[in-house]
Amino acid sequence: MEWLLYVSAAIIAVAFAILVMYLILTLKAVTKTLDRVSNTVEGMEKQIDGISQESTALLHKTNRLADDIQGKSESLNGVFESAKELGDSLKTVNQSVRSVSHMVSQQANANTEQVAQAVKWGNVAMEMWSKWKAKRNSEEKAYTAETTKRKQEEE
């Protein structure tokens, strides 16, 4: 029976050796996997550093662009204020023109009879001027004709 103990101890030793061997193989596989993971993590750290640097540069550019836009929008504020003042001025001018137009209309309505008389007298004066001009032209033609006739007789 003693031999049974030796055989059992040998089986246990072989089983333990196989178990240790599988543990060693498993640990080697885990080590390889951990090395790959470590390499991957290192690569990712490098990529993250690159991305971080690019992000920082992009953030700086964005800040400069925002400052530039802010400055330009502030410079445009003066233009818009000037345009508003111009609009206000035009509004005042329009109100003044309306006021003057309204006053002229009221005065014209109040003095329609006088305006009608002035128009009639103006028409009479124009007719007299036209007749005087026509008479003057006919006298000049007659004088010219008479002068021409005298020159022809003299020749």
Side-chain angles (χ1 to χ4, degrees), residues 3-134:
W3 61 272
L4 190 61
L5 279 174
Y6 290 123
V7 171
S8 293
I11 291 175
I12 290 175
V14 170
F16 184 74
I18 292 174
L19 178 67
V20 168
M21 200 159 93
Y22 277 115
L23 278 174
I24 290 172
L25 290 175
T26 303
L27 288 175
K28 282 185 179 182
V30 167
T31 303
K32 286 181 185 178
T33 303
L34 287 177
D35 286 342
R36 288 182 194 153
V37 168
S38 175
N39 290 337
T40 303
V41 168
E42 286 176 12
M44 289 179 78
E45 284 178 356
K46 290 177 185 176
Q47 288 179 353
I48 288 173
D49 286 342
I51 290 171
S52 176
Q53 290 172 357
E54 288 179 17
S55 297
T56 303
L58 181 62
L59 183 61
H60 289 302
K61 286 180 183 179
T62 303
N63 287 338
R64 283 194 304 268
L65 182 61
D67 290 342
D68 185 42
I69 289 171
Q70 179 70 26
K72 288 179 180 177
S73 71
E74 287 174 3
S75 68
L76 284 176
N77 286 342
V79 172
F80 288 122
E81 287 175 14
S82 297
K84 182 184 180 299
E85 289 174 4
L86 177 64
D88 292 343
S89 297
L90 288 175
K91 184 179 178 182
T92 303
V93 168
N94 284 341
Q95 288 173 346
S96 298
V97 168
R98 280 191 202 115
S99 175
V100 168
S101 174
H102 183 68
M103 288 173 50
V104 167
S105 176
Q106 284 179 339
Q107 290 294 324
N109 287 339
N111 299 323
T112 52
E113 185 64 33
Q114 292 174 352
V115 170
Q117 287 294 326
V119 170
K120 285 180 186 177
W121 283 107
N123 286 339
V124 168
M126 292 291 281
E127 277 184 46
M128 289 178 65
W129 173 260
S130 296
K131 288 180 182 179
W132 178 77
K133 220 174 175 184

